[in-house]
Amino acid sequence: MSQNGKPSGLFKNLSAKIAAIPMVLTALVVFVGCTVWTIVFSFTNSRLLPRADWVGLAQYERLWGTRRWLISIENLLIYGSLMLILSLVLGFLLAALIDQKIRFEDGFRTIFLYPYALSFIVTGLVWQWVLNPEFGIQNVVRSLGFGNFTFDPLYNPNLVLYGVLVAGLWHGSGLVMCLMLAGLRGIDEDVWKATKVDGIPTWKTYIFVVIPMMRPVFVTTLVLVTSGIIKLYDLIIAQTGGGPGLASEVPAKFVFDAMFVSQNLAQGFAASTMMLVAVTFIIIPWAYLEFGGKKNG
Amino acid sequence: MADTVIRTQHASHAHAAGPRPRPIFSRRNIIIYGVLIVLALYYLLPIYVMVVTSLKGMPEIRVGNIFAPPVEITFAPWVKAWSSVCTGLNCDGLSRGFLNSLKITVPSVFFSIAVASVNGYALSMWRFKGANVLFTILIIGAFIPYQVMIYPIVVLLREIGLYGELSGLVLVHTVFGMPILTLLFRNYFSSVPEELFKAARVDGAGFRTIYFKIMLPMALPIFVVAVILQTTAIWNDFLFGAIYTRPENYPMTVQLNNIVNSVTGVKEYNVNMAATLLSGIVPLSIYLISGKLFVRGIAAGAVKG
Amino acid sequence: MQSSVSIQNLKLDYGTVSVLRDLNLEIGQGEFLVLLGSSGCGKSTLLNCIAGLLEPSDGSIYINGQNVTWAEPSRRGIGMVFQSYALYPQMTVEGNLSFGLKNIRMPKEEIRRRVARAADVLQIEPLLKRKPAALSGGQRQRVAIGRALVRDVDVFLFDEPLSNLDAKLRADLRVEIKRLHQKLRNTMIYVTHDQVEAMTLADRIAIMKGGVVMQLGSPNEIYNRPANKYVADFIGSPSMNFFETTLSRGAEPKVVLAGRDVPLATYGFVRKDFAGAVWFGIRPEHILTGEAAASAPVRFEVCAELVEPMGSEILVWSTLADTSIRFRLDGQEKVATGDMLRIGFDPARASIFDKAEELRV
């Protein structure tokens, strides 16, 4: 065809470009388009249907004056920070224990990770049952003779988040273990030999040598767990439904309810935009850390 | 196995060298295994409780202890959960949700992997102009909270007439599965030696021939990983299922939640637990059968290229 | 002679980095050309441009008189052999050989005939039904060559084909490639960083550095009359000894080494009237010792500072005119560190380069 002339840039790799059309549509229409759409309509007073009736920042002012939204944010912060710390600690502990050349390694690993294969709905429902005061742990302990024993986290507004936390940890710490284990196994055997020769105790080796070496794994895990926390929705729906009262409301549920239950679309858009802002604050430093240094990241 | 061999060698060596061999019940081992076993109980407790509860009759549940094994084993809760428990107006049990989930998961897994594998191949091998920008948007997209995008997608689906349909949900899963799967395939194809691609081009193979004849057969393991990853994710999805389908098309997770958390009627905990187990069986079996590949799948999201 | 491959003013830039700069090269019909250079010199880039796997920024490439600068790799009449063999792992050897032919929808009968012929030439018939994973490195590379062979092309391109093999196998396959060339008489362009491969295989060698051809010539020319100091230093192992000195032209051209005049009447000058600061180079293997040194035109006495016995020969490190030098002794000689040795050389075998541009004088 073009034996002598340089082919035009448009037709270069034409098949590859055609094959990429679904990806282009996804990236541009869904990820960029829909996000922008939501942000734009968060400046309107859309209720049942989206309307281009501009109200400026009124939705945001209203949002930050809404008690339920504030409680949602507070809940997410409490749950999020605890979940982050505890899942990292528990995950690392599990990984370090499994890394001790133990017997039945595969068996233990299977046990710690299987909850991750189950849905949040299943997780929420089973823990709702285990923590049920009428039949669950409270009842069992009472029947052992402690008549006044009270353990009803899902019915106590002050404790409900911890009840969710127990389920969240059960579900997600196996994943952290897996990532940590991969990190531990990725450390050069010679590092351990060197610290043995130098006579450094094992716990010191972990804290001063191994953990600093695993920084990339920790960063990745942190981002993964955090983005999971922000999306927290199914678990709450299944385990507590946001209750008792508003005690376990979370932003994702606020958005869903505003959009699909209380017919207050623009509030939902404003709230989801706030979630996007929060994620941006997590992603940017991470992307900077991960890809900032190297050009070919 | 290999572990044992190394251990024995180590032990005999220790004898020869002098220091006393480490006994099996050393303090260190007791602590390690003790902690592991206690933690294992935390992870195993719920599934144990689910199983025993689902096998008890309601009277036994009311008087007994949730941790006690069933006195009288009954499969009635399982039968009821599967075939006759009611959600709203439908009283054909979870079997409906199971079928819906099947109808959603199978095509979603197929399409999302088909699209993503071609994406990954095109991105890593053909590097057309703008490919990197596109890929960056796609990966950033993976971090955008779904809540930001769910409503405009409702509008889009309504426009093309797929809102509430199973096919609409399949489309949504294909779109949202794309970032992670594209990353997975791109990283895999990037590890394929470039010379192989060059050799195929010298041999006159084009975009499609190289994909179907060379890359696809080579990438079978990564396809298995992708299938595991996607099947589990889509089967377990709740949010999209609840938003983009009508009640008669609800996937199993949504139906399960509606059954268990319904405010009307007497709570039948044994049926609830049987239903919960039923909807967990598919991903759980995939996990137990696939083992290491499952781990590889979930790690794929984390290990960046 | 009509040229088989002709490269005219070829340029390739990656952003601001130019990998190939205004490169011209004519390769004759049936010629074996080796592109030699250290990594990053642009030799593989050039080969990829000829193959059509990289697009040049400017310039043109002709194969058999056709301008193929923008043609698809498969339409250029080339076959290529890669360093990592690049065999399709899930296909049998037969599948690998026939893949390219199937892509152009060649009749089955013809494919079978060609595969059989290639298998016969390369002696891989017993391997046809095996997968690449079941082959040894040498066998794999033979299949890779076969893949180029079946396509019945005019030009063979080799991209460091032997670098992944161990030393013994490398030597064997080198001979086989040479034999193949003698039998087929195709044009072959061969990229390598191994000077032994280059010297043994090539009709002509192009030594490249920084995207430029430093010298193009027969192995003999390259070895005996390097055009510049880079080539002189690059070819030969251990590499040439260089002395900084001054070339003066009195009654007779000469340089001074360690206070002694080295007459250059027998030296083949390229630039008859050059005088000034020069690098005076002499190869270790051209430094004579013992009896031969006694009758050499120029003689010195040096101390053996370091002795490296290598079996067949002994490499001696020493100092002459404040410069560290190396030279060879026969493996049977007895020499210890600190011994004084008599050495000499014939100035006709030296290479002299001006200091400013490092070009041959």
Side-chain angles (χ1 to χ4, degrees):
Chain A
M1 180 181 66
S2 47
Q3 282 286 305
N4 295 310
K6 182 172 181 166
S8 99
L10 193 66
F11 293 105
K12 231 171 78 183
N13 293 339
L14 188 64
S15 317
K17 283 174 183 168
I18 292 172
I21 287 174
M23 181 168 45
V24 175
L25 287 178
T26 299
L28 297 183
V29 176
V30 180
F31 293 154
V32 177
C34 290
T35 305
V36 171
W37 192 95
T38 298
I39 296 172
V40 168
F41 275 84
S42 72
F43 299 112
T44 68
N45 66 354
S46 310
R47 294 194 64 82
L48 179 59
L49 291 171
R51 277 189 310 170
D53 191 357
W54 310 106
V55 293
L57 289 171
Q59 294 293 353
Y60 290 91
E61 281 163 25
R62 201 175 130 207
L63 180 69
W64 287 102
T66 306
R67 188 167 152 256
R68 191 179 151 193
W69 172 251
L70 296 175
I71 291 174
S72 300
I73 296 283
E74 193 192 330
N75 284 345
L76 192 68
L77 285 177
I78 296 171
Y79 172 85
S81 44
L82 286 173
M83 177 70 187
L84 202 57
I85 294 165
L86 291 177
S87 68
L88 282 178
V89 169
L90 187 58
F92 186 81
L93 178 70
L94 288 173
L97 286 172
I98 283 193
D99 198 33
Q100 302 302 315
K101 299 202 171 67
I102 57 160
R103 277 157 185 263
F104 316 116
E105 181 191 314
D106 283 350
F108 278 114
R109 218 171 35 192
T110 307
I111 290 170
F112 298 141
L113 187 59
Y114 88 89
Y116 192 74
L118 296 169
S119 64
F120 275 119
I121 299 296
V122 168
T123 305
L125 295 177
V126 65
W127 279 99
Q128 185 192 57
W129 174 237
V130 173
L131 298 177
N132 181 320
E134 223 178 313
F135 304 100
I137 292 174
Q138 173 177 309
N139 177 45
V140 173
V141 178
R142 278 186 185 175
S143 65
L144 291 174
F146 303 93
N148 292 325
F149 179 80
T150 322
F151 185 70
D152 56 348
L154 300 188
Y155 293 83
N156 182 339
N158 297 322
L159 292 179
V160 66
L161 281 180
Y162 304 98
V164 179
L165 190 66
V166 169
L169 273 177
W170 179 79
H171 181 265
S173 48
L175 168 72
V176 180
M177 172 201 74
C178 257
L179 298 174
M180 295 287 168
L181 194 58
L184 284 173
R185 296 269 153 96
I187 286 175
D188 197 337
E189 221 22 62
D190 290 350
V191 171
W192 282 105
K193 287 180 191 159
T195 56
K196 284 247 167 67
V197 171
D198 289 346
I200 300 166
T202 310
W203 66 271
K204 268 195 179 173
T205 309
Y206 270 115
I207 292 176
F208 295 109
V209 182
V210 172
I211 291 179
M213 283 179 80
M214 283 171 60
R215 196 201 70 117
V217 178
F218 272 94
V219 172
T220 311
T221 313
L222 204 78
V223 171
L224 228 64
V225 173
T226 312
S227 67
I229 289 168
I230 292 173
K231 286 174 182 166
L232 178 70
Y233 174 72
D234 315 13
L235 183 61
I236 296 288
I237 291 290
Q239 204 181 354
T240 69
L246 299 176
S248 62
E249 288 289 342
V250 284
K253 185 166 178 294
F254 182 95
V255 171
F256 184 92
D257 289 351
M259 285 180 187
F260 299 102
V261 181
S262 58
Q263 294 169 356
N264 204 343
L265 278 180
Q267 271 293 286
F269 297 154
S272 61
T273 305
M274 292 318 301
M275 288 176 70
L276 180 65
V277 171
V279 170
T280 312
F281 277 116
I282 298 161
I283 295 303
I284 287 177
W286 171 70
Y288 184 78
L289 278 174
E290 282 300 295
F291 307 111
K294 28 188 174 152
K295 275 268 181 273
N296 298 329
Chain B
M1 208 69 100
D3 214 41
T4 343
V5 175
I6 291 164
R7 203 180 299 272
T8 20
Q9 277 173 349
H10 178 79
S12 59
H13 176 76
H15 271 296
R20 83 198 130 88
R22 194 177 271 161
I24 301 167
F25 290 104
S26 69
R27 217 178 58 152
R28 176 177 172 273
N29 277 0
I30 291 173
I31 293 174
I32 288 175
Y33 286 101
V35 174
L36 278 172
I37 288 166
V38 168
L39 286 170
L41 287 179
Y42 164 54
Y43 289 89
L44 284 174
L45 180 83
I47 199 151
Y48 167 77
V49 170
M50 264 194 279
V51 172
V52 295
T53 307
S54 73
L55 296 175
K56 290 175 187 171
M58 267 318 280
E60 194 185 329
I61 290 174
R62 281 198 204 92
V63 296
N65 165 339
I66 60 165
F67 302 115
V71 180
E72 232 179 291
I73 291 180
T74 165
F75 290 99
W78 284 75
V79 175
K80 185 170 182 190
W82 176 253
S83 57
S84 63
V85 76
C86 296
T87 34
L89 299 173
N90 303 317
C91 281
D92 40 10
L94 263 181
S95 56
R96 170 188 287 270
F98 181 85
L99 277 178
N100 285 339
S101 278
L102 215 57
K103 281 188 242 170
I104 294 161
T105 307
V106 172
S108 299
V109 169
F110 176 81
F111 285 117
S112 58
I113 290 176
V115 171
S117 63
V118 174
N119 284 348
Y121 160 68
L123 284 171
S124 61
M125 295 277 164
W126 293 83
R127 297 199 201 118
F128 49 91
K129 220 175 163 187
N132 279 336
V133 178
L134 198 61
F135 183 65
T136 310
I137 295 177
L138 208 62
I139 295 305
I140 291 173
F143 286 100
I144 301 174
Y146 295 145
Q147 282 72 20
V148 181
M149 295 176 280
I150 46 180
Y151 196 83
I153 292 175
V154 169
V155 177
L156 280 175
L157 287 178
R158 208 179 269 144
E159 287 297 317
I160 54 176
L162 294 181
Y163 183 55
E165 306 293 330
L166 289 176
S167 51
L169 186 56
V170 168
L171 185 64
V172 170
H173 280 305
T174 305
V175 162
F176 283 103
M178 213 182 283
I180 180 79
L181 290 180
T182 302
L183 180 74
L184 185 73
F185 281 103
R186 192 196 76 129
N187 288 354
Y188 181 80
F189 287 126
S190 298
S191 73
V192 171
E194 206 190 348
E195 293 195 338
L196 204 61
F197 173 70
K198 288 181 174 175
R201 289 199 58 201
V202 171
D203 268 342
F207 185 85
R208 249 181 310 167
T209 317
I210 296 180
Y211 176 76
F212 284 109
K213 292 274 171 62
I214 294 170
M215 296 303 160
L216 199 75
M218 266 181 83
L220 279 183
I222 208 72
F223 273 92
V224 175
V225 169
V227 168
I228 293 166
L229 184 73
Q230 273 302 81
T231 311
T232 316
I234 295 171
W235 191 273
N236 286 341
D237 160 71
F238 173 80
L239 184 69
F240 295 148
I243 294 173
Y244 300 116
T245 53
R246 288 189 297 269
E248 72 260 31
N249 286 340
Y250 276 160
M252 209 170 185
T253 43
V254 179
Q255 203 194 358
L256 170 71
N257 185 55
N258 289 351
I259 292 169
V260 178
N261 282 328
S262 82
V263 281
T264 54
V266 187
K267 290 232 177 207
E268 292 183 282
Y269 297 107
N270 51 357
V271 177
N272 289 352
M273 283 304 113
T276 310
L277 271 174
L278 273 171
S279 74
I281 278 176
V282 168
L284 214 50
S285 338
I286 290 176
Y287 169 67
L288 291 176
I289 293 165
S290 63
K292 292 246 161 78
L293 284 173
F294 181 90
V295 177
R296 210 178 140 191
I298 59 165
V303 181
K304 64 280 155 216
Chain C
M1 182 167 59
Q2 199 218 333
S3 61
S4 165
V5 178
S6 162
I7 291 150
Q8 296 171 2
N9 303 84
L10 199 72
K11 279 190 198 123
L12 184 89
D13 305 317
Y14 285 127
T16 54
V17 186
S18 42
V19 186
L20 298 177
R21 302 176 198 190
D22 221 2
L23 206 128
N24 287 288
L25 208 56
E26 298 288 328
I27 300 150
Q29 208 81 50
E31 184 177 0
F32 200 121
L33 180 91
V34 172
L35 301 173
L36 178 65
S38 46
S39 61
C41 71
K43 57 189 193 299
S44 280
T45 310
L46 175 60
L47 197 74
N48 277 305
C49 282
I50 297 172
L53 295 166
L54 277 177
E55 291 197 347
S57 315
D58 200 6
S60 41
I61 300 167
Y62 291 82
I63 296 179
N64 283 336
Q66 290 247 5
N67 183 347
V68 295
T69 315
W70 309 109
E72 277 293 302
S74 52
R75 301 268 175 98
R76 295 182 176 216
I78 51 137
M80 192 160 174
V81 178
F82 297 92
Q83 179 178 358
S84 65
Y85 326 126
L87 297 181
Y88 313 123
Q90 72 284 355
M91 297 182 195
T92 59
V93 167
E94 195 174 7
N96 267 281
L97 294 179
S98 56
F99 183 65
L101 305 180
K102 281 181 191 154
N103 282 331
I104 52 167
R105 303 211 164 69
M106 184 178 278
K108 282 218 173 79
E109 204 41 51
E110 174 69 8
I111 294 181
R112 204 167 306 139
R113 207 181 55 74
R114 288 205 189 181
V115 169
R117 197 197 63 161
D120 178 51
V121 169
L122 296 163
Q123 297 168 336
I124 50 172
E125 291 109 327
L127 311 175
L128 283 178
K129 298 291 172 206
R130 292 210 210 151
K131 293 262 175 86
L135 303 181
S136 70
Q139 290 171 329
R140 285 181 206 184
Q141 199 51 284
R142 227 170 284 185
V143 175
I145 295 171
R147 197 164 53 181
L149 208 59
V150 290
R151 300 188 57 234
D152 210 9
V153 289
D154 305 312
V155 182
F156 274 48
L157 306 177
F158 293 89
D159 192 358
E160 308 220 14
L162 305 182
S163 299
N164 279 11
L165 301 171
D166 63 52
K168 165 110 177 53
L169 212 52
R170 204 182 305 167
D172 292 349
L173 260 150
R174 200 172 67 207
V175 174
E176 263 186 64
I177 291 177
K178 183 141 190 166
R179 207 169 277 148
L180 192 71
H181 180 241
Q182 281 171 358
K183 194 164 167 187
L184 301 173
R185 283 284 147 210
N186 289 37
T187 308
M188 294 192 174
I189 306 177
Y190 188 108
V191 164
T192 185
H193 62 265
D194 182 323
Q195 44 174 303
V196 178
E197 274 172 38
M199 299 297 277
T200 51
L201 288 172
D203 292 329
R204 281 194 301 163
I205 299 175
I207 295 191
M208 293 183 64
K209 184 200 177 191
V212 178
V213 174
M214 300 298 282
Q215 185 172 6
L216 175 65
S218 69
N220 191 334
E221 265 169 22
I222 299 245
Y223 178 77
N224 289 312
R225 297 178 61 80
N228 49 53
K229 184 172 175 248
Y230 177 79
V231 172
D233 193 35
F234 189 81
I235 293 289
S237 173
S239 56
M240 194 180 268
N241 299 303
F242 288 105
F243 303 94
E244 281 185 85
T245 179
T246 308
L247 174 64
S248 60
R249 290 184 184 270
E252 198 184 53
K254 59 164 192 178
V255 294
V256 179
L257 266 192
R260 209 165 303 174
D261 282 359
V262 178
L264 296 170
T266 51
Y267 180 80
F269 278 104
V270 189
R271 288 186 271 170
K272 299 266 186 257
D273 45 7
F274 181 86
V278 292
W279 290 106
F280 182 87
I282 184 88
R283 292 197 183 280
E285 54 270 35
H286 293 158
I287 293 181
L288 307 166
T289 55
E291 291 297 308
S295 55
V298 189
R299 290 176 300 276
F300 299 95
E301 184 118 312
V302 293
C303 171
E305 289 160 4
L306 194 80
V307 177
E308 291 182 291
M310 294 179 170
S312 67
E313 61 186 37
I314 299 169
L315 190 64
V316 182
W317 291 70
S318 181
T319 303
L320 178 65
D322 298 328
T323 311
S324 177
I325 62 162
R326 288 139 294 181
F327 56 91
R328 288 169 166 181
L329 286 179
D330 186 86
Q332 305 309 314
E333 298 275 342
K334 297 227 173 341
V335 60
T337 308
D339 287 359
M340 293 305 287
L341 297 169
R342 181 148 6 115
I343 61 167
F345 59 82
D346 178 1
R349 309 202 74 166
S351 288
I352 307 174
F353 309 99
D354 71 89
K355 264 193 110 171
E357 292 181 84
E358 304 198 328
L359 295 176
R360 191 173 184 86
V361 174

